[in-house]
Amino acid sequence: MRELKAFWNTLLHAGRNLLPIVLVVAAFQLFILQSVPEGLAGILIGLGIVVVGVALFLQGLEMGIFPIGKSLSNAFARRGSLPLLLAFGFAFGFAAVIAEPALIAVAEQAQTISQGHIDALTLRLIIATSVGLVVAVGVLRTLLGLPLHWFMIGGYIAVVTVTWFAPAEIVGLAYDSGGVTTNIVTVPLIAALGMGLAASISGRNVLSDGFGLVALAVMVPMITVQAYGIYVFEIVGVDPGSDSLDIAAPAGDPSADLDPAGILTGLLITIRDVLPIIAAVLFFQLVILRQRIPHLKRVVIGFLLVILGLYAFVVGLKLGLFPIGERMADQLIARDNVIFLYLFAFAIGFATTMAEPALIAIGDQAEHAAQGQIRASVIRLLVAMGVAIGITIGVHRILAGDSIHYYVIGGYALVILLTLLAPRYIIALAYDLGGVTTSEVTVPLVTALGIGLATQIEGRDALMDGFGLIAFASIFPIVTVLGYATIAELANRWRASRPSRRPPNDTST
């Protein structure tokens, strides 16, 4: 009975996350486009499946993955072994990312659009390995108390340098891949690991030393995916200008995923996706710690719910969220008024971010850790504005046909400058906030919107121009948070430096 009540609350939670998207789309359909979208029944069914899938997935996390993850973290912290901590950080970084729903969606879109030149599984393995390695490095940084800003400045200089040499076909996808690696699975696990380590080590500050793992997990995949693109398009020799990369391959009938054969195939693929998490748990629990898994029955049920939830989520995407993004792009372009496109991009970015559960959780944790120095409500507003501005700028880039190189290099140059100017206490949090802004329902819709725009506008390429919106949604929240903190710090210094206005002869007390 308690589990059913918890699932019902989780189902309502997932529905609330989807509600801002539904309201924005409905408002544009009724008041601006003044039409009912084609295939409305199928879209609604798909959205319902997404909500159920997310709810099952979250319930499975709470029952199986999170408890055993916390148990392992505590066990390794008590042992105090650096090699074990680093190995644990790598294994859980890898395992969590390989099963990330948003990454699965983006990888499948990339494989479809490139007609197999970019392999979805290879892309996910590269990204998951990158995150695993960088989580291990982040654990070491926390243990040694090294300042995060030097890691971030050096890392983004490397990102920008690689971008100059990377083919245009991979740049947008690479930056999007960094933005979707930290989401519904990874943020809670990685953030809890960092803050737990900082809290347990004498002399460490949870705000400045505990945050930052999420930021590192966003950054490094941008480098490795661009390196993969250099291999695919320049070393292997795929012609990036060929017609095979201009238009997405037919996606087929999404309803085929609901046939018995399609369901079985989808479930088997999902089991393959979740196997790394199961393998990591079993290895560390049974082989390294040599302990029985606590509450085994509950953990097994949790993993089964994760598998069912992931499968339902992917099917719901194909039926609901992907068609919404593509059709909204078609309809808004047909209106021949870019103001509506900009307005839609801004509204989607702001509304969905304000309802993002990972952002709410991180904001509350930051307010608690900062002891009143930071307000969670202000953080959410700043991040939502940053996402809205970023997606709007990304839409403008697609409409204008500009190269993404200049936009992302300019954006990260601004981030590096603000990192040097901003107060140190805010830097790790600001970078982490850039990685938690895109939810499991926002990413597919925004990705479909970008691909839809690039497909419908003459002279645009779906692979070169369709990706990149998520990247902007990750860059600009960092800018708004660092910018606000810098301005607030300067204002405080100015107020502190002003002489008292009390008259010299005033002796009142």
Side-chain angles (χ1 to χ4, degrees), residues 195 207 211 361-372 374 379 429:
M195 288 185 289
L207 188 61
F211 290 96
I362 292 292
D364 290 341
Q365 291 171 342
E367 181 174 329
H368 177 73
Q371 298 179 348
I374 296 172
I379 287 294
L429 174 62

Side-chain angles (χ1 to χ4, degrees), residues 60-231:
L61 289 180
E62 290 294 333
M63 292 181 65
I65 294 177
F66 287 168
I68 200 166
K70 291 176 182 177
S71 174
L72 286 169
S73 298
N74 293 334
F76 286 124
R78 286 194 300 268
R79 285 200 173 193
S81 171
L82 179 60
L84 281 179
L85 271 172
L86 296 182
F88 176 69
F90 172 84
F92 265 74
F94 178 93
V97 170
I98 201 70
E100 172 59 56
L103 177 58
I104 293 172
V106 170
E108 288 183 351
Q109 285 287 86
Q111 177 173 294
T112 299
I113 291 172
S114 67
Q115 294 194 352
H117 296 299
I118 295 173
D119 180 69
L121 182 58
T122 301
L123 183 66
R124 289 167 54 204
L125 287 171
I126 289 171
I127 294 170
T129 302
S130 304
V131 173
L133 289 172
V134 82
V135 169
V137 171
V139 167
L140 184 62
R141 180 196 77 85
T142 302
L143 293 173
L144 299 178
L146 301 175
L148 178 70
H149 60 279
W150 295 120
F151 284 82
M152 301 309 300
I153 290 173
Y156 278 115
I157 288 174
V159 169
V160 168
T161 302
V162 174
T163 300
W164 276 112
F165 299 98
E169 287 74 18
I170 201 67
V171 173
L173 175 62
Y175 281 94
D176 278 3
S177 299
V180 301
T181 53
T182 48
N183 215 294
I184 189 172
V185 183
T186 47
V187 167
L189 287 175
I190 293 176
L193 177 61
M195 288 185 289
L197 283 173
S200 63
I201 300 174
S202 177
R204 298 291 177 268
N205 180 278
V206 175
L207 188 61
S208 58
D209 298 310
F211 290 96
L213 285 180
V214 175
L216 291 169
V218 170
M219 177 181 66
V220 175
M222 299 177 184
I223 300 173
T224 54
V225 172
Q226 289 186 91
Y228 174 57
I230 292 173
Y231 170 78

Side-chain angles (χ1 to χ4, degrees), residues 7-62:
F7 176 73
W8 175 251
N9 291 333
T10 305
L11 189 66
L12 293 177
H13 175 78
R16 285 195 299 269
N17 293 343
L18 188 64
L19 184 60
I21 291 178
V22 173
L23 291 177
V24 170
V25 170
F28 271 79
Q29 288 286 350
L30 294 176
F31 301 113
I32 295 178
L33 300 175
Q34 297 180 350
S35 66
V36 176
E38 183 181 350
L40 179 61
I43 291 175
L44 292 176
I45 291 172
L47 293 178
I49 295 175
V50 166
V51 171
V52 173
V54 170
L56 289 171
F57 186 78
L58 290 173
Q59 187 71 13
L61 289 180
E62 290 294 333

Side-chain angles (χ1 to χ4, degrees), residues 239-252:
D239 180 10
S242 66
D243 292 338
S244 64
L245 299 177
D246 288 340
I247 301 175

Side-chain angles (χ1 to χ4, degrees), residues 379 382-383 422 426 429-430 433 476-486:
I379 287 294
L382 289 171
V383 173
I426 199 67
L429 174 62
L433 290 169
F476 284 90
I478 305 175
V479 172
T480 53
V481 173
L482 289 179
Y484 174 81
T486 302

